[in-house]
Amino acid sequence: MTDLMMRGLAKDAGILALVCHTGELAAEATRRHATSPLATLLLGRGVTAGALMGGLLKNQQRMALRIGSNGPVQKLIAESDSYGHVRGYIAPATLDLAPSSPPPGSLGLFGNVGLLTVSKDLVRRGLSEGAVPLEAADLDANLEFYYRQSEQIPSLVRTGVALDENDAVDVAGGFLLQALPGHSPETWTEVTARVQELPPVETLVAQHDVDAVLAQLFADLPYEQLETRTPAFQCSCSTARARQGLQLLGTDELDALIDEGEAVIDCHFCHEEYIFDRAALEDVRRALLETRGA
């Protein structure tokens, strides 16, 4: 199915819902990082979560979801903006299967110590950041804990990815429910309990369009469909940004690169390579000196 995100609002109940198909987004992100099957599942869910969280943003706003741990998954990062542009990466990109019976206190692939950080660029309202320790082995549970602890918003998050026979992304998607100020706690409890009985999210989004999933989430609650977006993988890297990064190195390190004859800048998020030959590096050095002279 074509990637799509839809927002829905049950105004009287005070519940907001976002539903998305992200198969193409997840496939592109994992393809660029040549992920192993397990890393494909995790990164696919990560960029899906990023798309859902980005769906809560207003015009020109951006956000970043970052997970760091002492386990096999050292980093899982997803960035998105209000226009549906998403990028992300996982480190390492190849992961072995998780142990079937993790020891007590274990967070599974997140080891036993980890931190989830959400940073937001709210433009006129400035920058904000919230962080919580990882509480579970599951990505969705940690996101729910973040919303509950850091933003004091009751939330239900579900992300899912299914692989095809070649261990590539076959289907991906998810949904996010949030209780708005003034919501009915009883209704929220009823809705979340009913949602728990639905099929796994990857099965749900594989079988239904986003509007049909939205209808299942709200069931008998009156609601309205709001705007739709098309989440897509898009990286903000560029030759100009790579050049700026080189200028941060300083003249000594630039001289060393000039002696080597070439510098290759690889983007963590998309693995686009920016190659600077000796002449280009000399231009960067001259520009740096002119800036200092100014």
Side-chain angles (χ1 to χ4, degrees), residues 195-246:
V195 169
Q196 303 285 7
E197 301 301 319
L198 293 175
V201 65
E202 59 270 26
T203 302
L204 195 64
V205 298
Q207 295 174 343
H208 302 284
D209 292 330
V210 290
D211 53 349
V213 176
L214 192 64
Q216 291 193 55
L217 297 181
F218 284 130
D220 56 349
L221 292 178
Y223 72 95
E224 59 179 320
Q225 294 181 358
L226 304 178
E227 77 274 11
T228 60
R229 301 181 185 181
T230 304
F233 185 94
Q234 181 171 310
C235 192
S236 58
C237 69
S238 65
T239 300
R241 290 197 173 195
R243 183 183 178 92
Q244 290 172 356
L246 285 171

Side-chain angles (χ1 to χ4, degrees), residues 6 28 42 46 64 67 71 102 111-113 124 131 151 171 215 225 233:
M6 177 177 288
E28 181 66 11
L42 286 170
I67 289 179
N112 55 21
V113 177
R124 294 178 182 177
E151 299 193 13
V171 62
Q225 294 181 358
F233 185 94

Side-chain angles (χ1 to χ4, degrees), residues 80-214:
S80 62
D81 63 22
S82 60
Y83 306 106
H85 305 141
V86 186
R87 65 179 188 171
Y89 74 90
I90 188 170
T94 56
L95 293 169
D96 295 326
L97 290 177
S100 57
S101 299
S106 171
L107 299 172
L109 290 169
F110 298 125
N112 55 21
V113 177
L115 189 70
L116 185 157
T117 305
V118 176
S119 305
K120 298 179 184 179
D121 180 356
L122 303 177
V123 192
R124 294 178 182 177
R125 293 168 55 192
L127 302 175
S128 73
E129 183 171 282
V132 295
L134 296 181
E135 289 286 307
D138 181 66
L139 173 63
D140 297 343
N142 286 305
L143 290 171
E144 291 174 359
F145 180 67
Y146 161 78
Y147 277 119
R148 187 167 63 250
Q149 291 292 111
S150 187
E151 299 193 13
Q152 291 80 54
I153 302 175
S155 304
L156 190 149
V157 182
R158 293 291 182 273
T159 60
V161 175
L163 306 183
D164 61 19
E165 64 277 7
N166 297 314
D167 289 328
V169 173
D170 182 39
V171 62
F175 57 81
L176 167 62
L177 293 173
Q178 287 197 331
L180 303 177
H183 71 280
S184 164
E186 295 80 10
T187 302
W188 172 254
T189 299
E190 292 172 2
V191 169
T192 54
R194 184 177 64 249
V195 169
Q196 303 285 7
E197 301 301 319
L198 293 175
V201 65
E202 59 270 26
T203 302
L204 195 64
V205 298
Q207 295 174 343
H208 302 284
D209 292 330
V210 290
D211 53 349
V213 176
L214 192 64

